[in-house]
Amino acid sequence: MKNIVIFASGSGSNAEKIISYFLHSSTAKVVLVLSNNEKAGVLAKAEAHNVPTLVFTKEQLNSGFVLRHLQAFNPHLIVLAGFLQKFPGDIIAAYPHKVINIHPALLPKYGGKGMYGAHVHRAVHENGDKESGITIHYVNDNYDEGNVIFQKAVSIEECLSPDEVALKVLELEHEHFPKVIEELINGKID
Ligand code: GAR
């Protein structure tokens, strides 16, 4: 059984999908959810599934405390699912090729510092793009620049607002993120 740990800062709808997807799997399971935000909805969602949680400060993230805590859970894959802080280099170095992120746009468009969540969908909508989508990628020391693992596009021609774009993209995330994680763990993609 391979251990998945999830970092999330917000509502945690992706985290919940991933937890549920692996509930009855014999391959992997979510063993820990971590958040920098004590008010994040993801914490209640994890607890509802009896997944242990950890809330940490920025200082704890960057001082080795979070890395030490993680090591006790022996993660095979570290998943950022709406995690909005810069991910520390020491954890990336300790788990090479094992830290992945989901981004709600077709990178390299609409990536980088400050480009997250609603900001992304607003920019896509304002530019009048006909499609958006999701990118799942490895995490390196620069925001949204690690190697791409998976992308999927969706037409947003009918979307009248950034919120409608967001909804379409979130649906794609929920559909594909758990499966891509499973394929990575099974070595079907890399
Ligand atoms: C997701 O759409 C994810 O792609 C995005 O935050 C949302 C979290 O939703 N991540 C980023 O923008 C990272 N740059 P959730 O909390 O409902 O899973």
Side-chain angles (χ1 to χ4, degrees), residues 164-182:
E164 289 184 23
V165 176
L167 216 62
K168 280 214 147 183
V169 170
L170 196 63
E171 269 175 27
L172 268 193
E173 295 189 336
H174 292 169
E175 183 185 347
H176 292 284
F177 203 13
K179 290 185 201 158
V180 169
I181 290 169
E182 184 176 48

Side-chain angles (χ1 to χ4, degrees), residues 10-15 81-82 84 101-104 115-117 144 170 173:
S11 82
S13 70
N14 277 286
L84 303 182
N101 178 49
I102 190 159
H103 188 77
M115 267 298 180
Y116 58 87
D144 303 323
L170 196 63
E173 295 189 336

Side-chain angles (χ1 to χ4, degrees), residues 57-68:
T57 63
K58 199 172 200 170
E59 210 274 319
Q60 287 173 325
L61 179 64
N62 294 312
S63 66
F65 172 87
V66 171
L67 172 58
R68 284 194 295 281

Side-chain angles (χ1 to χ4, degrees), residues 80-145:
L80 312 191
F83 182 64
L84 303 182
Q85 279 185 350
K86 185 93 166 65
F87 204 67
D90 61 345
I91 303 182
I92 298 169
Y95 296 98
H97 225 59
K98 295 287 180 205
V99 185
I100 67 169
N101 178 49
I102 190 159
H103 188 77
L106 297 169
L107 291 173
K109 288 167 83 180
Y110 306 107
K113 194 168 175 6
M115 267 298 180
Y116 58 87
H119 300 284
V120 174
H121 304 304
R122 198 175 312 122
V124 169
H125 186 69
E126 278 171 6
N127 279 346
D129 287 9
K130 291 193 167 35
E131 62 171 25
S132 189
I134 63 171
T135 304
I136 298 168
H137 64 93
Y138 287 106
V139 173
N140 68 13
D141 288 329
N142 301 318
Y143 277 108
D144 303 323
E145 287 184 12

Side-chain angles (χ1 to χ4, degrees), residues 62-79:
N62 294 312
S63 66
F65 172 87
V66 171
L67 172 58
R68 284 194 295 281
H69 192 88
L70 268 184
Q71 283 166 333
F73 286 81
N74 189 27
H76 178 80
L77 197 65
I78 297 172
V79 175

